[in-house]
Amino acid sequence: MDIIFHHPTFNPQFWIDGMQQQLPGARVRQWYPGDSQPADYALVWHPPVEMLSGRETLKGVFALGAGVDSILSKLQAYPDMLAQGVPLFRLEDTGMALQMQEYAVSQVLHWFRRFDDYQALKLQAKWLPLEDYRREDFTIGLLGAGVLGGKVAESLAAWGFPVRCWSRSKKEYPGVSSFAGAEQLDEFLNGTRVLINLLPNTPQTVGIINRQLLNKLADEAFVMNLARGVHLVENDLLAALESGKVKGAMLDVFAQEPLPAENPLWKHPRIAITPHLAAVTRPVEAMEYIAKTIRQIENGESPGGQVSLHHGY
Ligand SMILES: NC(=O)C1=CN([C@@H]2O[C@H](COP(=O)(O)OP(=O)(O)OC[C@H]3O[C@@H](n4cnc5c(N)ncnc54)[C@H](O)[C@@H]3O)[C@@H](O)[C@H]2O)C=CC1
Ligand SMILES: O=C(O)C(=O)CO
């Protein structure tokens, strides 16, 4: 079996050795421009079009991350990039859910215990106990409740917060109420105090966190964007912070990355920023997962993790 690998920043030798260890007998190589030797599987992130196009014998392409928007947008521009019927897989969890839980839980607790307010008071040398927030006024809403959103919802429910989620179809996570589809979006937003976004980037979700949506949240809401920058209309968030509708935001992803130094989000005192690292690919877990999926394909089984080209995620 031949496996080709391309990633703009990952250490190729580490992955080649790791995949060979996972799949003894496999020949794994780093793809290079001009390499059109046969391949059964491709492991990719931001793949050059020529790496995949014309490869009709591929049995699977593996995105080395959870979101496949960059691959699908390339596929839209170059429809022949992936031969008909070649399945595209993505990483499901492989250590990312725990990272998302750490990120979301720590920030929700930070807001709930009013640490930003106390920091502002500290800067004025003011000793002033504030009124506690009550859990019943701190409903958390997950936009997107798949592999990552579902795990984040569960971990926040375990902290005793009222938690709800919104997705394409109804979910059953312990302690989490579920809303589904466009027709239930308003009901989901009504009373949501902390909005956490873990939707995929699709034509239906671009710009979803906009003025209209923010206005439907509870007053003094908090917003956490952990999915993709294109989900958020940055100027609408700034306006909602200005009006007081939104009290604080934590952003990990941006329409333009790296976020340009002149972007006003940097300077806003009530916006916290991290550089797109809420959850990163854990190579060992990812390789185990990919190898397991390859074994399932080789055994004629139907593995999970296949991207729906129709739904776009
Ligand atoms: N900031 C970071 O470091 C990272 C960000 N991500 C982002 O997180 C996203 C989510 O990842 P997973 O949970 O693994 O995806 P997933 O595919 O398991 O879950 C997606 C969820 O969104 C819902 N959804 C999709 N389209 C919808 C629509 N039109 N209306 C309502 N609900 C809709 C689905 O029903 C599902 O609940 C990824 O697509 C990626 O963009 C992923 C990993 C790291
Ligand atoms: O896996 C993804 O989709 C990411 O955004 C990685 O940071």
Side-chain angles (χ1 to χ4, degrees), residues 95-100 103 148 226 252 276-282:
M96 284 189 262
L98 181 61
Q99 297 172 69
M100 285 294 184
Y103 192 114
L148 302 177
L226 307 183
D252 182 56
H276 196 149
L277 45 61
V280 299
T281 296
R282 296 279 188 234

Side-chain angles (χ1 to χ4, degrees), residues 185-208:
L185 180 57
D186 282 2
E187 205 184 330
F188 161 82
L189 295 169
N190 184 18
T192 291
R193 181 76 183 276
V194 180
L195 185 76
I196 303 178
N197 177 35
L198 273 166
L199 284 167
N201 169 13
T202 69
Q204 291 74 39
T205 64
V206 169
I208 189 167

Side-chain angles (χ1 to χ4, degrees), residues 90 100 145-148 166-168 198 200 226 228 252 279 313:
R90 68 186 193 94
M100 285 294 184
V147 173
L148 302 177
W166 181 72
S167 45
R168 238 170 16 91
L198 273 166
L226 307 183
R228 287 294 182 261
D252 182 56
Y313 70 99

Side-chain angles (χ1 to χ4, degrees), residues 42-248:
L43 276 50
V44 299
W45 197 243
H46 294 291
V49 175
E50 55 173 317
M51 175 183 183
L52 300 178
S53 55
R55 291 193 178 275
E56 298 189 350
T57 58
L58 275 178
K59 293 187 251 178
V61 173
F62 291 87
L64 296 174
V68 286
D69 45 342
S70 65
I71 295 181
L72 294 185
S73 64
K74 214 168 226 184
L75 194 54
Q76 202 157 31
Y78 303 95
D80 295 336
M81 182 173 86
L82 212 53
Q84 197 72 26
V86 174
L88 173 63
F89 295 90
R90 68 186 193 94
L91 298 181
E92 286 194 325
D93 189 348
T94 62
M96 284 189 262
L98 181 61
Q99 297 172 69
M100 285 294 184
Q101 289 174 317
E102 292 162 357
Y103 192 114
V105 170
S106 59
Q107 187 60 22
V108 166
L109 294 177
H110 181 93
W111 283 326
F112 182 63
R113 294 304 305 263
R114 307 193 63 167
F115 288 143
D116 286 340
D117 291 330
Y118 285 113
Q119 176 66 9
L121 289 168
K122 184 248 178 195
L123 293 174
Q124 303 167 58
K126 271 201 180 154
W127 180 280
L128 178 61
L130 301 169
E131 200 178 326
D132 285 349
Y133 285 153
R134 302 178 319 162
R135 271 183 167 64
E136 54 269 38
D137 299 329
F138 228 70
T139 296
I140 296 160
L142 268 301
L143 274 180
V147 173
L148 302 177
K151 283 274 166 57
V152 168
E154 282 180 1
S155 63
L156 286 162
W159 274 91
F161 292 104
V163 182
R164 51 175 72 161
C165 66
W166 181 72
S167 45
R168 238 170 16 91
S169 55
K170 287 249 182 197
K171 305 284 180 181
E172 286 191 16
Y173 297 119
V176 179
S177 30
S178 168
F179 298 80
E183 56 290 354
Q184 290 196 333
L185 180 57
D186 282 2
E187 205 184 330
F188 161 82
L189 295 169
N190 184 18
T192 291
R193 181 76 183 276
V194 180
L195 185 76
I196 303 178
N197 177 35
L198 273 166
L199 284 167
N201 169 13
T202 69
Q204 291 74 39
T205 64
V206 169
I208 189 167
I209 308 176
N210 55 29
R211 186 167 59 87
Q212 289 88 339
L213 179 144
L214 294 170
N215 279 335
K216 290 174 185 162
L217 296 172
D219 288 342
E220 298 203 341
F222 297 92
V223 175
M224 208 185 297
N225 189 13
L226 307 183
R228 287 294 182 261
V230 291
H231 289 133
L232 172 71
V233 181
E234 292 175 359
N235 284 335
D236 289 1
L237 174 67
L238 288 167
L241 282 156
E242 209 48 50
S243 74
K245 179 70 189 176
V246 169
K247 184 159 185 206

